């Protein structure tokens, strides 16, 4: 489940590896944790990932920013958090 992957990301800034490249990732939670914003930029590169995730009474909503759901889902499922 995507939400489980999102919850594993630390709130604030962290670094992750995706497709053998390092990304600076920021996670911010709003509305008592019902809205989550994630932005990741490839360090030294041009790629980025940007999304909002909303938790409602009826359903969870993934809302990528100017990119496909597929790209965002692949990123979330395949990133590795650096400790």
């Amino acid at each position: 489940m995507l939400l489980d992957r999102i919850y594993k990301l630390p709130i604030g800034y962290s670094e992750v590896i995706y497709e053998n490249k390092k990304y600076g990732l920021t996670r911010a939670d709003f509305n008592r944790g019902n809205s989550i914003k994630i932005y990741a930029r490839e360090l030294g590169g041009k790629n980025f990932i940007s999304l909002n995730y909303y938790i409602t009474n009826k359903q969870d909503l993934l809302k990528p920013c100017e990119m496909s759901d597929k790209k965002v889902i692949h990123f979330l499922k395949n990133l590795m958090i650096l400790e």
Side-chain angles (χ1 to χ4, degrees):
M1 180 178 212
L2 284 182
L3 187 54
D4 293 332
R5 295 290 296 169
I6 290 170
Y7 281 150
K8 289 181 181 176
L9 298 170
I11 294 173
Y13 180 83
S14 60
E15 292 183 348
V16 301
I17 298 292
Y18 172 69
E19 294 187 340
N20 297 317
K21 296 176 183 166
K22 189 183 282 189
Y23 284 72
L25 182 144
T26 303
R27 172 184 157 195
D29 290 6
F30 304 96
N31 302 317
R32 295 181 302 259
N34 291 317
S35 301
I36 303 166
K37 168 77 176 163
I38 295 174
Y39 181 79
R41 176 161 298 278
E42 180 184 351
L43 300 177
K46 296 181 181 180
N47 196 27
F48 70 94
I49 302 291
S50 182
L51 68 107
N52 292 293
Y53 195 90
Y54 302 101
I55 302 164
T56 70
N57 290 334
K58 295 182 180 181
Q59 64 183 357
D60 292 358
L61 301 169
L62 173 65
K63 296 291 185 178
C65 303
E66 301 179 17
M67 62 193 58
S68 71
D69 288 5
K70 184 178 178 180
K71 180 177 180 176
V72 169
I73 291 168
H74 192 270
F75 178 81
L76 290 172
K77 286 186 174 181
N78 293 286
L79 66 82
M80 182 180 68
I81 301 168
L82 296 175
E83 299 290 328

